[in-house]
Amino acid sequence: RKRIMLLGLVIVMAGGAITALANGTAMFTLGRAITGIGFAASFGLAFALLASVAPEPAALARTVARWLALQTAGIVLLCLLGGYLAGISWRLAYLVSPAVAALAFVWCLKTVPEAKNDAPGPLDVPGMLLVAVGLVGTLYGVSNAASAGWTNTKVLLPLLLGFGVLAVFALWERRHRQPAFPIRAFADPQLM
């Protein structure tokens, strides 16, 4: 898991560099897609590695809560920094993610333990597909809101689809024996 997380961070660095150096729409889109793949790998693995950092249930709930709080604060601060840098050059703004990924790579090498699942279960393909479709639909709807307005069908339909699929995802994960995302963990008051 640690190696895949490190690979994801390298992919984020590469995707950000491609985006910042883009000389056209195709190269820019390729860079953003590569960055998204890297973020998906590193974000998912960061969440999965929390169990090896804090294996006891009470400690895990506190660790996840801290991780989510730090992540939220980091996103806000990095968006502000990216917005400021975009005022100087849009290319600088797209170098924020690779810079953070490089710092995370060094930190991960030094502090994150290797984690292996000795009894891996079947891959939760339906769960992963549901969350992917739900998130893409929701993000697509939100991204259209700036140009089309919140009441436009280009916004409402993807949002309804995205939220609907995310609701199905939540139901699927609650009932699945080995879910891709342990949604039952959110019943813990410390995590909430």
Side-chain angles (χ1 to χ4, degrees):
R1 290 179 179 169
K2 180 177 177 177
R3 282 178 280 176
I4 293 173
M5 182 172 172
L6 291 171
L7 177 62
L9 292 169
V10 169
I11 292 170
V12 169
M13 288 183 262
I18 290 168
T19 303
L21 296 172
N23 58 5
T25 305
M27 189 173 172
F28 180 86
T29 303
L30 175 66
R32 296 306 295 150
I34 291 170
T35 302
I37 291 167
F39 271 131
S42 56
F43 179 81
L45 267 291
F47 194 78
L49 286 167
L50 291 177
S52 39
V53 173
E56 294 86 34
L60 179 59
R62 285 191 304 275
T63 302
V64 169
R66 288 181 188 134
W67 178 71
L68 289 172
L70 178 64
Q71 176 187 342
T72 302
I75 288 171
V76 169
L77 292 173
L78 292 174
C79 283
L80 290 171
L81 175 62
Y84 173 77
L85 291 174
I88 298 168
S89 167
W90 68 268
R91 294 178 190 278
L92 281 176
Y94 282 103
L95 290 175
V96 171
S97 293
V100 171
L103 293 172
F105 185 90
V106 172
W107 178 80
C108 185
L109 274 176
K110 292 182 178 186
T111 61
V112 175
E114 180 56 76
K116 293 181 182 178
N117 188 348
D118 294 329
L123 192 61
D124 182 15
V125 174
M128 292 189 302
L129 289 174
L130 286 168
V131 74
V133 170
L135 289 174
V136 168
T138 304
L139 292 173
Y140 183 75
V142 170
S143 69
N144 285 333
S147 61
W150 285 100
T151 58
N152 191 297
T153 56
K154 287 173 61 176
V155 174
L156 293 176
L157 288 178
L159 281 177
L160 289 173
L161 171 74
F163 288 139
V165 173
L166 288 174
V168 172
F169 165 73
L171 292 172
W172 171 264
E173 295 298 282
R174 283 181 56 96
R175 291 187 171 94
H176 198 269
R177 290 177 61 206
Q178 292 186 310
F181 182 81
I183 207 157
R184 290 183 186 269
F186 285 99
D188 187 304
Q190 285 183 318
L191 179 59
M192 291 307 292

